[in-house]
Amino acid sequence: MDSAPFQTTPDAARPAFSGLEHPKLSPARVGVVLSNLGTPDATNYWSMRRYLSEFLSDRRVIDYSPLFWQPLLQLVILTRRPFTSGRNYASIWNTEQDESPLLITTRGQAAAVAERARAAYGDRVLVDFAMRYGNPSTASVITGLRERGCERIVFFPLYPQYSAPTTATANDEAFRTLMAMKWQPSLRTVPAYHDDPLYIEALAQSVERIYAGLDRRPDLLVTSYHGMPERYLAEGDPYHCQCRKTTRLLHDRLGFAEGEVVVTFQSRFGPEEWLKPYTVEEVARLARAGKKRIAVMAPAFSSDCVETLEEINGEIRHAFEAAGGEEFVYVPCLNEDTAHIDMMMSILGRELAGWV
């Protein structure tokens, strides 16, 4: 056996590559993507139809067989629902910027995190935001960060409680993007933060600020979470349990009396039984039971959106008042609150460890 040491081919003897040169590379950086649900580009029929078609075609959101679901969706639901949803969005649309509140707020959150990241890490960390449905798309943002030299990316779904139709589908889309890339960045996904102390503290402070400005204390605080079919719980989705844990920790932090904070679920869709109690029914029941003053908050939403600004502050408020309720107080989402940005930076500090 030849015992000569391994030798590389001299440069002069190596074959030429037809004059091709390696493309110029940007300095290696770490990217951060804040990911939210999404928004239509406008409130007109075709914009709403495109958005709803993408959203309701996601098998994580609607897991019925496409052979059954797609004809029903495309031929029945999407002929009417864009009009209804468009009116709902129009009622909360920012006409000056011609954008949805969710888009405006998520952009503001990304800008605040980017400013903090520059102070902490200089130009080594680039921050952007993406939407699972609509624009800016997850693929365009991850691709853009990779082109700017991000060899590592922290992907941060802005869902405190994990669920397959939110956190999982956001992560799916990020990994689908990587599947089409020649040179993939390394990717870390941020886990759910439903019990993070800074998240609970931010929620508690938001409640305390609202209560401090009221003449009379509400009888109850309703924590309204986005719903999902009950069978998801039996199939192993932890969302229901994480929602209840968030409310329990918030109750303990606020020091409220037993029973002064309740859990409900909103935004039911389709014929199945969803997680109960349904917010719109429960607030009416509370009013009839003599709870005339309530506050409602939505801990599952990181930004105010159509489900909070129109559904909670519209449909759910009306149900409470129609049943005899006298004072309905909406506690806004954390949005760009300083405590919320503090929480995001704390989580990112953990996830960036070893990378910067």
Side-chain angles (χ1 to χ4, degrees):
M1 179 181 293
D2 187 357
S3 60
F6 176 80
Q7 294 181 342
T8 59
T9 303
D11 289 344
R14 291 177 180 171
F17 285 91
S18 304
L20 292 178
E21 295 183 0
H22 195 285
K24 295 180 66 175
L25 299 177
S26 301
R29 295 186 174 95
V30 178
V32 171
V33 180
L34 304 183
S35 172
N36 215 325
L37 181 74
T39 175
D41 294 324
T43 62
N44 60 67
Y45 175 84
W46 289 108
S47 294
M48 291 304 310
R49 183 174 178 118
R50 283 193 299 272
Y51 173 72
L52 291 172
S53 181
E54 182 181 10
F55 176 43
L56 297 176
S57 294
D58 186 349
R59 294 295 304 278
R60 289 282 198 182
V61 174
I62 305 292
D63 60 358
Y64 302 146
S65 167
L67 295 176
F68 159 77
W69 177 244
Q70 281 299 319
L72 177 62
L73 175 65
Q74 301 297 332
L75 299 177
V76 179
I77 295 173
L78 291 181
T79 61
R80 296 173 296 179
R81 192 172 179 88
F83 292 108
T84 303
S85 296
R87 286 193 295 271
N88 292 340
Y89 271 94
S91 70
I92 56 106
W93 201 257
N94 186 310
T95 54
E96 290 185 5
Q97 295 181 239
D98 194 24
E99 293 176 331
S100 73
L102 177 67
L103 177 59
I104 294 168
T105 300
T106 307
R107 181 190 295 119
Q109 291 169 335
V113 171
E115 183 178 358
R116 298 277 197 94
R118 279 193 298 272
Y121 306 111
D123 63 356
R124 291 174 294 166
V125 174
L126 301 179
V127 179
D128 208 339
F129 73 97
M131 299 296 179
R132 172 59 184 88
Y133 315 104
N135 297 304
S137 69
T138 300
S140 67
V141 171
I142 290 180
T143 301
L145 286 173
R146 184 66 192 87
E147 290 172 350
R148 294 168 66 190
C150 293
E151 298 180 4
R152 298 180 172 95
I153 292 177
V154 175
F155 189 75
F156 194 160
L158 295 177
Y159 307 110
Q161 298 80 22
Y162 175 96
S163 72
T166 55
T167 313
T169 190
N171 291 339
D172 289 347
E173 191 68 6
F175 285 111
R176 270 193 290 269
T177 300
L178 265 59
M179 289 172 64
M181 301 176 77
K182 292 293 185 184
W183 186 356
Q184 295 176 334
S186 298
L187 188 74
R188 287 180 178 172
T189 60
V190 175
Y193 50 95
H194 65 286
D195 57 356
D196 187 286
L198 292 183
Y199 164 63
I200 301 300
E201 181 62 26
L203 291 176
Q205 289 180 15
S206 71
V207 173
E208 290 169 341
R209 279 196 301 271
I210 293 295
Y211 274 41
L214 300 176
D215 294 331
R216 295 184 297 177
R217 182 186 178 91
D219 300 319
L220 285 174
L221 173 63
V222 177
T223 55
S224 180
Y225 296 86
H226 198 289
M228 67 166 51
E230 285 185 341
R231 62 183 170 84
Y232 283 34
L233 175 61
E235 292 168 357
D237 196 298
Y239 179 72
H240 177 265
C241 299
Q242 292 187 1
C243 290
R244 290 198 170 274
K245 184 173 184 181
T246 293
T247 293
R248 175 173 58 81
L249 293 174
L250 175 62
H251 171 274
D252 293 346
R253 160 59 181 81
L254 289 169
F256 283 5
E258 187 68 28
E260 197 176 347
V261 185
V262 299
V263 176
T264 64
F265 298 90
Q266 65 182 84
S267 308
R268 181 186 178 193
F269 177 81
E272 287 191 79
E273 291 296 311
W274 279 39
L275 297 175
K276 297 184 183 71
Y278 303 138
T279 305
V280 69
E281 296 178 1
E282 183 64 8
V283 297
R285 187 195 69 79
L286 290 171
R288 290 191 294 267
K291 305 298 184 182
K292 301 300 184 182
R293 297 184 300 276
I294 65 170
V296 181
M297 69 186 307
F301 296 91
S302 62
S303 306
D304 274 308
C305 54
V306 69
E307 285 88 356
T308 64
L309 298 174
E310 192 283 327
E311 186 178 0
I312 290 180
N313 226 5
E315 177 190 359
I316 292 168
R317 174 191 288 273
H318 296 329
F320 176 71
E321 293 173 346
E326 298 173 358
E327 186 175 355
F328 182 100
V329 177
Y330 174 60
V331 180
C333 292
L334 296 177
N335 296 318
E336 297 170 55
D337 185 82
T338 299
H340 196 201
I341 305 302
D342 289 344
M343 180 215 74
M344 292 185 191
M345 288 304 299
S346 173
I347 291 173
L348 286 173
R350 296 197 297 267
E351 299 301 325
L352 288 167
W355 278 5
V356 293

